[in-house]
Amino acid sequence: MKAVFYETYGDPDVLQYGEQPDPKVGPDSVLVDVRAASVNPVDWKITAGYLDGALPTVFPVIPGWDVAGVVVQPGPSVVEFEAGDEVIGYVRMDTVGLGTFAEQVAAPVRTLARKPSNISWAEAATMPLAGLTAYQSLRAVGVSDGDTVLVHNGAGGVGTYAIQIARAWGARVLATASEKNHDFLRSLGAEPLTYGEGLADRIAEAAPEGLDAVVDFVGGDDWVASLEHLRTPERVASVTDAAVKDKGGRYIFVRPNPADLLALTELVESGSVKPVLAESFPLERAADAFRSSIEGHVRGKIAVTVGEQG
């Protein structure tokens, strides 16, 4: 099969496009014809070697954890999916090596759910990691109807999902971003706040009675500054800074969870959540997709597509 792969750590220039062995399908996995995958910051960080101390790696590495595609061969013990089913998945394995930037991937059933019927392949591919991160972060801090929630980095890939999910659950959402993204945040249902110096005062003005929950998707000092307005100290979660645990909060490293993924599918199909696709590249231009992600300043997510997008 054709795939994107790398044989040594480095910048996007190490990515190659060429032949790799076909995947082997285990008893509780399915073979998926990939229609699209998406780029997450963790992908290029792994490629650069930044997570070498935490994640076992087997070279050559096919990057990618997100997938949208069609089941072509269920494993012998699989009852959840049949050939022809359209699925999405957060296909994170115990080792780094066999990812989703390829024509096919063997995906464990525990990583998959059905694809929403009302969006494109590229949009669907943006859902798993970013959507699950947002969903699991909001669940960790117990967001529910009537809460006032602050989302840090609301215009990013995870933040766009978090705003919409929290709104679907009945919460009022404040979100930080640069001023150029304020109208975009409003279109998602959030009340925008400019990040940086003076944020605590802006929070006090927007939410004089305080915040019920805070979710941080950017790191830095802003999430710490917002804690003085948090009514219940432990209702804070961060995906970037494990020091949040010292404040009584939760550090989130997203986990594959088919029930959570199905809940996201249902939110998308109901119209409550709409994936925000910033850019799309063909698979052979994965290095350009990585560069775009590294440069940042995109609204939503970046996808790579495989084959015809019918």
Side-chain angles (χ1 to χ4, degrees):
M1 68 173 180
K2 295 290 188 182
V4 171
F5 62 96
Y6 56 95
E7 298 174 300
T8 185
Y9 290 134
D11 63 21
D13 289 339
V14 303
L15 296 179
Q16 305 175 54
Y17 177 72
E19 290 292 333
Q20 286 292 293
D22 292 342
K24 297 178 180 179
V25 183
D28 60 351
S29 296
V30 300
L31 184 65
V32 176
D33 270 351
V34 178
R35 295 291 185 268
S38 73
V39 180
N40 296 286
V42 71
D43 296 320
W44 51 261
K45 290 177 182 179
I46 291 173
T47 302
Y50 298 155
L51 277 68
D52 183 71
L55 298 173
T57 302
V58 179
F59 292 101
V61 173
I62 299 172
W65 284 342
D66 281 343
V67 72
V70 180
V71 174
V72 292
Q73 178 189 337
S77 74
V78 173
V79 297
E80 294 88 345
F81 300 103
E82 299 177 349
D85 286 347
E86 298 181 349
V87 295
I88 56 174
Y90 173 44
V91 191
R92 177 162 65 83
M93 310 291 194
D94 293 331
T95 60
V96 173
L98 301 176
T100 58
F101 281 43
E103 291 180 326
Q104 293 187 321
V105 65
V109 171
R110 62 180 173 81
T111 68
L112 300 174
R114 65 177 175 82
K115 171 189 172 289
S117 59
N118 57 336
I119 58 174
S120 71
W121 290 111
E123 289 172 320
T126 73
M127 290 176 57
L129 188 152
L132 284 176
T133 301
Y135 186 95
Q136 292 174 7
S137 297
L138 294 168
R139 281 283 183 236
V141 296
V143 170
S144 61
D145 187 32
D147 281 345
T148 297
V149 182
L150 176 58
V151 175
H152 286 291
N153 194 20
V158 179
T160 57
Y161 278 105
I163 289 168
Q164 295 178 83
I165 294 167
R167 290 284 295 156
W169 292 348
R172 176 194 179 199
V173 181
L174 311 179
T176 62
S178 60
E179 288 189 16
K180 67 180 181 180
N181 285 319
H182 283 194
D183 285 343
F184 172 63
L185 294 188
R186 292 186 185 98
S187 74
L188 298 176
E191 301 169 43
L193 299 174
T194 303
Y195 58 75
E197 185 177 353
L199 176 61
D201 293 336
R202 291 189 286 276
I203 295 171
E205 182 178 354
E209 297 182 358
L211 302 169
D212 295 296
V214 174
V215 287
D216 166 50
F217 305 127
V218 68
D221 297 328
D222 280 354
W223 74 267
V224 179
S226 62
L227 297 187
E228 65 182 84
H229 300 285
L230 186 60
R231 290 201 287 260
T232 307
E234 63 270 18
R235 292 186 69 185
V236 55
S238 176
V239 304
T240 63
D241 194 343
V244 69
K245 296 169 63 178
D246 299 331
K247 306 290 186 180
R250 289 282 304 277
Y251 174 65
I252 304 297
F253 190 82
V254 61
R255 297 177 178 178
N257 185 307
D260 290 353
L261 202 53
L262 180 59
L264 284 172
T265 287
E266 292 171 346
L267 284 168
V268 171
E269 289 184 332
S270 72
S272 298
V273 172
K274 172 69 174 175
V276 179
L277 179 64
E279 294 181 272
S280 182
F281 298 83
L283 180 62
E284 57 268 28
R285 291 185 57 203
D288 291 331
F290 270 46
R291 292 185 188 99
S292 184
S293 177
I294 292 168
E295 290 168 3
H297 308 298
V298 297
R299 296 173 176 174
K301 295 291 301 300
I302 299 168
V304 294
T305 58
V306 183
E308 297 295 326
Q309 297 295 295

